[in-house]
């Protein structure tokens, strides 16, 4: 149990956890789904802070469950629902169609990024 300290965060009905692995977006999503969850998707400030706790623990940027919609160029949850909470870094998002994924910085703010970079895997259950 001690080994999992700080690597699992519970907020409301959600549990966030990381395996500590850095992979591309598709692989992160796949490993979260194989574990019975999905990629971490902050829906409010408390959830964002919980994910940030894991990001800080590993001192690694992490992908979030948000992608740029092909047709509207709007960022949406991977479920297709519109975002009801955002924490974009200053002057972000700025990739306009070239950066379709979203990463969390170590200060908790978000940046749009290419999906083929290796980022920390954080899942939610």
């Amino acid at each position: 149990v001690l080994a999992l300290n700080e690597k699992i965060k519970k907020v409301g009905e959600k549990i966030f956890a990381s395996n500590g692995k850095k992979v591309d977006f598709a692989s992160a999503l796949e490993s979260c789904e194989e574990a019975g969850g999905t990629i971490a998707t902050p829906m409010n400030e408390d959830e964002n802070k919980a994910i940030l706790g894991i990001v800080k623990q590993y001192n690694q940027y992490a992908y979030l469950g948000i992608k740029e919609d092909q047709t509207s160029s709007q960022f949406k949850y991977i479920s297709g629902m519109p975002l009801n909470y955002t924490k974009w870094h200053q002057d972000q998002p700025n990739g306009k169609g070239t950066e379709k994924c979203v990463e969390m910085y170590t200060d908790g703010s978000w940046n749009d990024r290419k999906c083929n970079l290796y980022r920390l895997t954080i899942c939610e259950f």
Side-chain angles (χ1 to χ4, degrees):
V1 175
L2 293 177
L4 296 174
N5 194 20
E6 295 301 309
K7 294 177 178 71
I8 293 181
K9 303 270 183 192
K10 188 173 191 311
V11 180
E13 297 296 303
K14 286 187 181 179
I15 294 171
F16 298 101
S18 178
N19 59 9
K21 293 195 172 119
K22 288 175 67 177
V23 294
D24 63 24
F25 180 85
S27 300
L29 181 60
E30 188 179 334
S31 58
C32 288
E33 288 176 346
E34 280 174 6
T38 191
I39 198 160
T41 307
M43 301 281 197
N44 56 48
E45 185 66 22
D46 286 344
E47 292 180 5
N48 205 72
K49 281 184 182 151
I51 297 164
L52 175 59
I54 298 172
V55 164
K56 282 183 168 172
Q57 172 84 5
Y58 287 98
N59 198 27
Q60 302 279 349
Y61 295 174
Y63 280 125
L64 299 175
I66 300 166
K67 285 192 85 173
E68 190 173 0
D69 186 67
Q70 302 286 37
T71 48
S72 70
S73 296
Q74 296 289 314
F75 281 89
K76 294 184 175 175
Y77 295 118
I78 50 172
S79 64
M81 298 291 290
L83 298 181
N84 62 359
Y85 164 84
T86 61
K87 193 156 183 131
W88 293 110
H89 195 77
Q90 188 176 349
D91 302 325
Q92 298 297 337
N94 65 0
K96 281 281 181 237
T98 60
E99 298 179 330
K100 297 193 176 299
C101 287
V102 177
E103 67 185 357
M104 180 184 283
Y105 286 153
T106 50
D107 68 358
S109 65
W110 305 353
N111 173 43
D112 57 332
R113 208 67 170 140
K114 287 185 165 35
C115 301
N116 62 348
L117 300 167
Y118 280 44
R119 295 290 178 260
L120 182 65
T121 302
I122 302 177
C123 304
E124 71 176 48
F125 303 94

